[in-house]
Structure formats: C-alpha cells, structure tokens
Amino acid sequence: MTAQDAPTAPRHWEADVLLKDGRTAHIRPIGPADAALLVEFYARVSDQSKYYRFFSPMPRLSERDVKRFTEVDHVNRVAFVLTLSGLMIAVGRYDVVRPGEAEVAFLVEDQHQGRGIAQVLLEHLAQAGRERGVDRFVAEVLPDNTRMIQTFRDAGYHVASEYEDGVLMLEFPITPTDTAIGLMQGREHKAEAASIEKFFNPRSVAVIGASRRQDTIGQALVRHLVTGDFTGRVYVVNPTAAAVSGMPAYKTVQDIPDDVDVAIVAVPADAVQDVVLDCAAKGVHGLVVISSGFAETGEEGRQRQRRLVGLSRSYGLRLIGPNCLGIINTDPSVSINASLSSVMPPRGRAGFFCQSGALGSAILEKVQNRGLGLSTFVSAGNRADVSGNDLLQYWEEDDSTEVVLLYLESIGNPRKFSRIARRVSLRKPIIAVRSGRTTQGVPMGHTVRRIAAPPQAVDAMFRQAGVIQVNTLEEMFDVAQLLAHQPLPRGRRVAIVGNSDALGLLAADAAAEVGLVVNKSVALGADATAEDFEDALDAAIDDPDVDSVVAVYIPPLNVSGEDVANVLAAVGEQSDKPLVSSFLGAEGVPELLRVPDVAGSTAGRGSVPSYPAVEYAVRALARVVEYAVWLRTPDSPPRVGDELDPGTARAVVNRALIDHPGGVDLSQDTLRELLACYGIELWSSRPVADLASAQRVGAELGWNVVLKATADHLRERPDLAHVWRNIDDEAEMADAWETLSAIVTDPANAGFVVQKVAQPGVPITIRSIEDPLFGPVVSFGISGPINELLADRSFRIPPLNERDAAAMVREIKAAPMLFGYRGSEVVDVAEVERLILRVSRLQNDLPQVRSLELSLVLAGAHGATVLTASARVEPVTDPRSDWFVRRLPSLPGDTLPS
C-alpha cells in the first residue's frame, strides 16, 4: 500500500500536545510513510521496553512487522505516533478484537518515559475509539510493568483485572466519566502551569538580537534585565559584536557555555525561524518573541507566524508572542523585566495578562502611579501560542498572585476559558476587560474565529464563571485595588461616613443605582476631627447590619488630613469588613493610606484604596459585592433523574443523520422521541389541511382543543389572533376555522394544527444552539415579539448547575411575570429550571444538535407544558474545542478552533 492509497484519518486526530514537564510534542495518526521513522524509533528503544511491549525478545522489526504497524484502516486498527524534533518518540494503537472492544498497547522511547506520554496517547486513542464505536479497551500487561499498569489506573476509568498465564489482563470502559474527565483536566492544568513557570522563574536568559546601539530594541531588553536586578544569568547573542553592554556576546545560542532557560528574541521576522532551531538544539524551554512582522501585517505575516508556531512546538518549545511587549516577575528572588517597558512595577498581589504591546506599556505606568503593584505581567502580543488560559492555569497555584487581571482583545477558546476561570474564581478573583464587546471584532494578528453567539452570551459566560467583567481599564484598577488590599464583603449593606453632606448624598444615590443598600449614613460635618472619624468608623464596622464602609474626607483649607489618613489606615488594617474611601480626591492607594507589607509589596493587606469620586468607590464596591455573592452562592450540580437516556438520544440523532447525511429538521415524532430521552414531554400537535381534518382530529382528541396557525410570520402576533381556544364540537371548529382563515393571510400556508388545550400559564421560550467556536449555548426568555425586540433573554454555557438555571430565570427584565406580577399566580419556577437544565444537558451531550427551540412553553402554577418545539441536526465536522483529549490551540489558518 502506498501513502496515496492509504485510508485517511479524520483531520482533528492530529494535534500539538503539552507533556507533563511543560514541553510540547506532536500527535498524529500513523501512516505508511512512517516506516523509516518507526524502524529508527524501535532501534532506540531498550530491550526491556521491547519485552514489556511484545512479551518476548524482539530486537528488530521485520518488513512484515513494519507494514502491519504502519498500514492501518483508522477504524478497526488505529495507531497514533508522538513526534519531537522530527523523530518518533512513542507509538500507541488499538485493534478491534470484537464489536465494541479493542486491545490497546503503547511503546515509549526510554529517555522520554515519565513525561506522561502514555497518558496522552491513551486519551487520544480512547476518543478515536469512541468516535469509531468502541466502548471498551482491553490490555495485556506483564505484572512487573508497573508504570504501564499505573497509566491505565491513573486514567480515571474503572479498571478490572485478572491474572492468567503470567499476564495481567486489564479491561475498562472508555466512557468519559466525570472522574476520567476531571483527572484529564488535572493533568492539563499541571502541564500548562509547568510550561509557564519556566518563563517566570528562569535561571538564565539569552537576549537574541542584543545590540550596542542605544536606540534599539535589543539594547533596551538587555538594559531592562540588568537594571531590573535580574537574579539569574543574562547572555547576549549578536553574531557581529564581541560585547554588548560590557557583557561578552555569543554568535549563537549554542555557543553559550551554560544552560539557557528562556530566550528573548528581537531579530527581524524572517530570521526568527533560524533562532528557533538554534534554541531547540540548545535545549531552551521557551521563547519570548518581541519581533514584529507576523500576523499583524497581513496574509504573508500570518503564514510566517503559522510556520513559527509549528516549528517551535515541533521542537518542544513554548512561545510568548510574537509582536509582544514581554514578561515581568517582581518576585525579589527573580526580579526579571524581560520586556520593552522601562517601568518595573512595584511588588504586588495582582497578575496581569494583556495582548497589545502599546497598551501594556500604558498599563505598567498606570499600575505604578496607583501604587497597586503586580506579582507577574505578560504581554502576549499576537498570542500565537501561550494564551490567557495558560496564565490562569499558572496563577491558580501561584501563592504570590491573589488577584488576576485580564485585558482580552479576543478569546481563542471561550469554552476552555469558561471552565478554567470558573475553577480559578472560586480561589482568586478574576477581573476582565474585553474589547470589541459590541462589534465582536478581532484585532489584526489574532487568528481566531469570530463568535457567532450574541454578545450577551459572552457576557453570560463571564458571569457564570464568576469573572468580574468591567468596561474600562480604569474601572479594572478601581476594583483591583479594593480586592488586593481589603477583605470581601459579606453582603450588600453599606455604611457611609464622611464630613461632606453633599458627597454623602452622592454616595447614597450611587449605591442605590448599583444595587447596594445604605443601612447607615453618618454626616460628621466639615470640622470633624480624626477622633470623630475613628469613632464613627469603629461604630460602622462593629454594626452587624453593615457589610462594608465608604469613607469620604474633604479637608478644610490648609489641612493635610494626615491625622484622618492615619485613622483610616489603622481601621482598614484591623477591619474584617472592606473600607473604601474618597480621600482628598486621590486615586489609587496614597502613601498616607498604605499599610506596610511583610511580603515586600508597597501597599499591604489592609491598605485603604482611594477614589477621585465617591461614585467610582461605590461602583468598585458593587462589583466586588457581586463577586462575593457569587462566591457564597451554593454551586450544587443539577439533580439528574432516571429519565435521562443519552444513549437512546444519540441513537435517535444518528438514525436521522444516516437518512439525511447533510442534516435535517427533525419531524415532530422524532423530536418528541429525542426530548423524551431527557425527560421533556412535547405536547401532541396534529397538522390539519382543511376543516374536515380539523373536525376529525378534534373528535379523536376528545375535544376541548385549540386551533392555531404555526407559520413563522403568524405565531409571534402579539394579539394572538392566530389562536382559537376551547373548541368542543364540530360547529365550534367550523366557526374557528372560518374566522382564522379570514384573519390570517394566505391560510393555505398558515400551518394550522390542532392540540388539546393546556393549562394556562406564562409563555416562555428555551433555546439552545451549537456555536462553531463557543460550543453549546442555552438561552431563556418570555415568549413574544416585544421581548424578542428588546432582546430580553438570559444566556448560559453548558454544562449548567442549579445556580445557573435559577439565575437565568431571575435575571431577565420580565422575570416578575413568573413571580406573581400584579397579583397573578406564581408559576412553578422549579419546573422551568428543570426544563432549562434538561435542554442544557441535551445540547451538551449532543453536538450534532445544531439548534433546539422550545418556542412555546406555558409555565403555570403546577407545572409547564411544552406546546411547540423544533430542532435541527447536522453532522459534526470539527470537534468542540475542549473535546475529551488534551490538545494545544490549533495553528493560525487551521479550521479547528484555537
């Protein structure tokens, strides 16, 4: 079989992956062209590893063996290879031995064992098996091959074993259980955090492109590393100079006599690929590419960037950039400023991620002016490889980082971001500014898909994950300085203490506008002393009906306010409730309000942030209150009943796609069967073409029926003139038919149906879609054209928990209609939430469902009736971005989401 004749594997089976030590490799299906690579790989494997694999001495592969191992059908015989630096370093395969069951085996080159390679292969083989109808793996392992036995057990599957003829027989289902997915995500977390840790804690850095000229980027990078007091070794690489800034210059990275952890690259764009090869040969962990001339310049640069990332990953390197400002770690034990910014921010508790280099410089200036302080800083530029998701993985475990700040110009993998951010937010607050919220625009250089979901869905994703989304960078710093220095509030109750009645009233108005409750307001008068402030602040903090305090101080003429500042700082340091101030109209954390920090930060825990206007202070406090409420709201998983049957649902969808390979709108009978698998009953609806058929159906249903038109242009009529209820005999049906036919236009195409009359209730709509980048999205709202025009809908990203469903019901503006508005009956909200959770689960389980709409659900006091529904199914051409395998973001230009 030639390479041209070989059956092809799905394109998404190929990916870059991150290993346990934070380095990259490439996984792909094997093919006949890999014969030579396989022979070379096998020659490097030790005799013991070969014996563990084949249970007998097998020093070399015969031509027949090579042919058998490399020529597979990608269905019943599937094999993946892992490559690094152009060499095969591992191979894993499964062979179907009986329907639904396959035997799996691995072989990893000895020097790469212990890097988690077998686990990566098992993940990808299991996913391929699930796609090919395999539901169980079996493996034969020698008892003393403990490492391979542990690999299977660590996968999170339930492994059954038995001993036979000196061989351990392992058997396990490959269904992606919550345990297996959780363990896989845990491995992903550790690998991505490890890859970033090397950037922030290098022992040595090489500046490639270092220059003796003062006005060059290379010279600035060297200067900032040296003046920033980097504790490691700095090496400069310049092929034409003997020395740079008094340090010996090396022609290449390989000429450096010691190890190099990180390379800072500032050479012309067309020379960067040669640098990658040089760094790979040296064993460098990662690259920070300052150089521009990549995707931000157009199509040619985009292709250059794609080649750069592919080359870096193929040699195991991670990359920050290109076209980036650089990285900073203010930890005194490292103190690295590997960036173009001359500003080394003060030590602080916040980690900052942004993309724009120019904006990064402004951010660092602002941080310094406010006295906020940072733990670490990354400007990722075009974000071709390392992304905000990687930084979140690192900051989650970083003890020096207590607050995460994100300026996002695009989101390459929103589904993964949502998953990681939701976990991190439970431990550390995340504050995010997202540009392009209205236009959903993507800047030049950011090669990601546009999100098809509405902007409200993206906002909902942030709320769902506990992310504090703000509108501007100024507001981000307002919130950050409060979170970094003050405790979280317990609730919404606020006390206002100040020496200005006017500003006190402004603060009270601002609090009411953002949902805070002013339980205490103390006006001290313009001549209030420091002792007066101290007494009032102590009383407010001790009040059990107060959760946070806003202090306002405008001094009389020729008074410094130092005594009051000392009081504020002392109270803020000792209080277990947050204290914010508008002190002298200052912005940030003024010197007078700072508390010394034993950890080295310029402003320690208990320092009192100040805002130039009381409205800013109250707005920042409200953002923090919302986060505290989210944090304290129980996050229980949805209660799953026995009525869920996802296996049958998949069979229903697959059957429809077999009959209609290109996709199809489901018939009502098929849709009813699908919904029943998730405990959703679709009310029977019988189409009728004329009066006689309407009368016949009404009699068959036992009368008390409704006649209605279902055409799209009619069913949203606010006057409900397309509906006639409570029809009890043939005469009433004739009257209804005649009246509706006269009212609606084009009655022949009105789509008349007859249904049993349902219990009265509030009409609601629940929808779900499969977004090409976002994955599943669920929305909820009151039915009707007015609500549609006003976009009064709530959104969430599955999987949902009970808190999400409850929030969806309550956050729409029309929610009072469900809770007894103007004396009406309160609907069965628990049943509405149950329907939302069921739709969410269905959409999450079945990516083939491109859209599902329960367009008319009557929510009454004793349940909810699904009267009208529709759905469309289509084949899945690309997997979701967080399929049940670990994979790095796809390269620019690939069709898979990054």
Side-chain angles (χ1 to χ4, degrees):
M1 181 188 297
T2 65
Q4 289 77 15
D5 298 329
T8 58
R11 189 169 179 272
H12 63 265
W13 283 6
E14 183 171 359
D16 294 319
V17 294
L18 202 60
L19 303 180
K20 186 177 179 180
D21 56 5
R23 288 185 174 271
T24 60
H26 190 71
I27 191 170
R28 59 174 174 80
I30 203 167
D34 292 317
L37 278 181
L38 179 63
V39 171
E40 294 170 3
F41 157 71
Y42 196 77
R44 296 192 304 271
V45 174
S46 70
D47 291 340
Q48 183 185 51
S49 293
K50 294 173 182 175
Y51 187 81
Y52 279 154
R53 169 64 177 89
F54 296 107
F55 302 170
S56 64
M58 194 170 174
R60 64 184 59 85
L61 297 175
S62 67
E63 289 187 12
R64 180 179 178 183
D65 291 329
V66 172
K67 181 179 177 68
R68 177 165 59 93
F69 289 144
T70 58
E71 296 182 5
V72 296
D73 61 11
H74 305 298
V75 179
N76 294 316
R77 298 173 60 239
V78 172
F80 288 107
V81 296
L82 207 72
T83 63
L84 179 64
S85 303
L87 299 176
M88 185 186 300
I89 63 172
V91 61
R93 62 183 296 116
Y94 76 69
D95 294 88
V96 173
V97 293
R98 58 184 59 88
E101 183 174 293
E103 183 176 359
V104 63
F106 308 98
L107 184 59
V108 180
E109 188 176 339
D110 294 69
Q111 68 169 323
H112 295 288
Q113 292 176 9
R115 302 180 65 194
I117 290 174
Q119 291 173 331
V120 170
L121 286 168
L122 179 58
E123 288 174 16
H124 285 255
L125 285 170
Q127 179 56 29
R130 288 188 286 265
E131 294 178 27
R132 297 309 198 199
V134 176
D135 52 33
R136 180 176 298 273
F137 275 173
V138 296
E140 296 182 356
V141 185
L142 292 175
D144 58 343
N145 190 356
T146 55
R147 178 171 283 175
M148 188 55 62
I149 294 171
Q150 196 60 41
T151 294
F152 290 118
R153 297 196 185 281
D154 288 346
Y157 303 117
H158 177 69
V159 180
S161 59
E162 62 180 45
Y163 192 72
E164 181 179 328
D165 296 332
V167 175
L168 198 62
M169 312 292 293
L170 303 178
E171 180 180 340
F172 52 95
I174 58 174
T175 303
T177 63
D178 290 342
T179 300
I181 294 172
L183 289 171
M184 182 201 75
Q185 292 173 355
R187 293 190 291 269
E188 169 196 72
H189 164 65
K190 291 178 181 178
E192 293 181 0
S195 72
I196 300 303
E197 193 273 339
K198 299 283 182 150
F199 283 104
F200 283 137
N201 296 281
R203 294 163 300 178
S204 57
V205 170
V207 180
I208 304 171
S211 173
R212 292 174 294 183
R213 299 202 313 272
Q214 292 298 313
D215 58 346
T216 61
I217 290 175
Q219 172 59 225
L221 290 168
V222 174
R223 184 170 62 250
H224 297 161
L225 280 166
V226 173
T227 59
D229 294 328
F230 175 48
T231 60
R233 297 290 303 273
V234 178
Y235 300 98
V236 297
V237 177
N238 185 322
T240 62
V244 174
S245 298
M247 292 181 286
Y250 298 92
K251 294 186 181 302
T252 68
V253 176
Q254 292 186 70
D255 292 332
I256 297 173
D258 302 314
D259 292 338
V260 175
D261 292 332
V262 173
I264 315 299
V265 183
V267 300
D270 56 5
V272 174
Q273 291 192 47
D274 292 334
V275 170
V276 173
L277 296 174
D278 191 24
C279 289
K282 182 64 179 175
V284 173
H285 169 78
L287 307 172
V288 179
V289 180
I290 309 295
S291 310
S292 59
F294 291 90
E296 78 280 1
T297 63
E299 183 57 34
E300 182 180 350
R302 192 162 19 251
Q303 293 303 319
R304 184 183 297 117
Q305 179 170 304
R306 188 172 189 273
R307 291 192 296 270
L308 168 63
V309 178
L311 187 64
S312 299
R313 290 180 178 173
S314 70
Y315 282 95
L317 301 173
R318 295 228 70 182
L319 179 147
I320 294 176
N323 188 36
C324 72
L325 188 72
I327 63 173
I328 294 174
N329 183 359
T330 62
D331 185 342
S333 66
V334 181
S335 190
I336 182 172
N337 179 6
S339 78
L340 293 178
S341 173
S342 60
V343 177
M344 182 70 164
R347 181 71 173 160
R349 294 179 170 83
F352 203 118
F353 173 85
C354 68
Q355 292 160 240
S356 166
L359 187 62
S361 296
I363 287 169
L364 292 173
E365 292 278 359
K366 180 64 70 174
V367 165
Q368 186 177 52
N369 294 339
R370 282 188 175 233
L372 174 61
L374 297 179
S375 61
T376 42
F377 170 87
V378 173
S379 163
N382 294 356
R383 204 208 58 207
D385 180 26
V386 169
S387 70
N389 287 341
D390 296 298
L391 271 299
L392 283 176
Q393 301 275 34
Y394 171 78
W395 281 324
E396 181 179 5
E397 304 297 336
D398 179 33
D399 293 334
S400 299
T401 302
E402 298 179 16
V403 180
V404 174
L405 310 179
L406 304 174
Y407 185 88
L408 303 174
E409 299 178 40
S410 63
I411 307 175
N413 189 340
R415 190 163 167 80
K416 182 176 178 180
F417 172 82
S418 176
R419 167 170 56 84
I420 298 173
R422 189 166 191 157
R423 188 184 68 235
V424 175
S425 292
L426 293 172
R427 299 180 57 185
K428 303 176 180 183
I430 302 172
I431 312 169
V433 176
R434 180 169 59 88
S435 63
R437 291 176 63 185
T438 303
T439 61
Q440 301 284 65
V442 177
M444 283 290 289
H446 296 215
T447 49
V448 299
R449 296 179 181 178
R450 291 178 180 269
I451 297 173
Q456 301 96 308
V458 187
D459 292 338
M461 177 194 72
F462 279 74
R463 288 195 304 274
Q464 184 179 355
V467 176
I468 305 170
Q469 185 173 205
V470 295
N471 297 319
T472 65
L473 280 170
E474 293 294 335
E475 190 178 0
M476 169 184 279
F477 291 124
D478 287 346
V479 177
Q481 65 191 30
L482 172 53
L483 286 167
H485 301 120
Q486 290 289 308
L488 289 176
R490 297 187 181 93
R492 301 179 182 277
R493 302 168 301 179
V494 178
I496 300 172
V497 177
N499 64 345
S500 169
D501 292 346
L503 291 180
L505 288 173
L506 284 176
D509 289 343
E513 187 176 345
V514 293
L516 301 180
V517 179
V518 179
N519 271 9
K520 176 178 283 194
S521 184
V522 181
L524 298 175
D527 57 351
T529 65
E531 290 75 15
D532 295 333
F533 264 93
E534 184 173 13
D535 293 340
L537 291 171
D538 286 342
I541 288 170
D542 292 340
D543 190 335
D545 293 327
V546 170
D547 300 312
S548 54
V549 179
V550 178
V552 180
Y553 178 65
I554 301 296
L557 294 176
N558 301 320
V559 176
S560 68
E562 185 173 349
D563 291 343
V564 174
N566 291 334
V567 167
L568 286 173
V571 173
E573 183 179 13
Q574 299 168 11
S575 174
D576 62 348
K577 298 176 181 178
L579 172 62
V580 299
S581 71
S582 182
F583 180 79
L584 301 174
E587 181 182 58
V589 184
E591 290 282 353
L592 291 171
L593 300 184
R594 295 183 189 180
V595 173
D597 191 347
V598 295
S601 299
T602 57
R605 176 69 66 185
S607 298
V608 179
S610 175
Y611 300 85
V614 290
E615 294 91 344
Y616 296 169
V618 171
R619 181 182 61 189
L621 182 59
R623 297 286 194 186
V624 175
V625 166
E626 290 301 327
Y627 169 69
V629 170
W630 177 88
L631 201 60
R632 295 187 175 105
T633 303
D635 190 9
S636 56
R639 291 183 292 271
V640 179
D642 294 336
E643 71 273 18
L644 268 64
D645 187 3
T648 301
R650 291 189 189 94
V652 171
V653 171
N654 290 337
R655 190 169 63 239
L657 290 175
I658 289 173
D659 295 337
H660 303 86
V664 64
D665 295 328
L666 296 183
S667 68
Q668 288 295 295
D669 288 341
T670 302
L671 178 56
R672 187 174 292 107
E673 184 182 1
L674 175 63
L675 293 175
C677 295
Y678 285 85
I680 302 172
E681 181 184 358
L682 176 59
W683 205 251
S684 179
S685 176
R686 305 273 294 274
V688 292
D690 49 38
L691 174 59
S693 60
Q695 290 172 327
R696 183 179 66 257
V697 170
E700 292 173 356
L701 294 176
W703 296 108
N704 189 26
V705 297
V706 57
L707 175 68
K708 65 181 180 182
T710 59
D712 288 341
H713 68 287
L714 297 172
R715 65 183 183 185
E716 295 295 346
R717 287 184 59 155
D719 57 7
L720 298 181
H722 64 297
V723 180
W724 195 289
R725 296 182 176 82
N726 304 113
I727 303 170
D728 283 320
D729 54 38
E730 291 185 354
E732 290 183 6
M733 180 62 78
D735 188 21
W737 186 272
E738 181 180 353
T739 303
L740 291 186
S741 297
I743 292 175
V744 303
T745 56
D746 192 13
N749 295 310
F752 283 119
V753 299
V754 174
Q755 285 181 306
K756 287 288 291 183
V757 171
Q759 293 295 319
V762 177
I764 62 173
T765 302
I766 302 171
R767 297 175 184 150
S768 68
I769 62 168
E770 184 73 18
D771 184 86
L773 179 58
F774 231 90
V777 180
V778 175
S779 67
F780 166 81
I782 304 295
S783 297
I786 302 301
N787 289 291
E788 294 291 337
L789 287 171
L790 296 176
D792 186 19
R793 301 196 66 80
S794 58
F795 294 83
R796 287 297 184 276
I797 310 302
L800 270 58
N801 58 33
E802 293 187 353
R803 175 172 69 182
D804 298 323
M808 288 185 73
V809 171
R810 289 159 179 80
E811 70 185 35
I812 60 173
K813 295 181 177 63
M817 294 180 63
L818 305 172
F819 294 92
Y821 182 66
R822 292 191 173 181
S824 61
E825 280 190 310
V826 177
V827 308
D828 187 350
V829 175
E831 177 62 15
V832 175
E833 294 171 3
R834 188 190 76 88
L835 283 175
I836 292 173
L837 289 170
R838 291 300 189 265
V839 171
S840 163
R841 177 69 183 271
L842 185 155
Q843 189 67 57
N844 196 57
D845 289 348
L846 304 171
Q848 301 94 330
V849 177
R850 290 300 174 182
S851 63
L852 169 65
E853 181 175 11
L854 308 186
S855 53
L856 180 57
V857 180
L858 289 182
H862 305 289
T865 307
V866 182
L867 295 179
T868 309
S870 60
R872 179 171 180 81
V873 297
E874 295 178 3
V876 175
T877 55
D878 292 331
R880 288 174 181 164
S881 57
D882 68 338
W883 213 244
F884 305 120
V885 291
R886 286 174 285 165
R887 58 191 308 137
L888 285 170
S890 57
L891 301 181
D894 287 355
T895 58
L896 291 178
S898 355

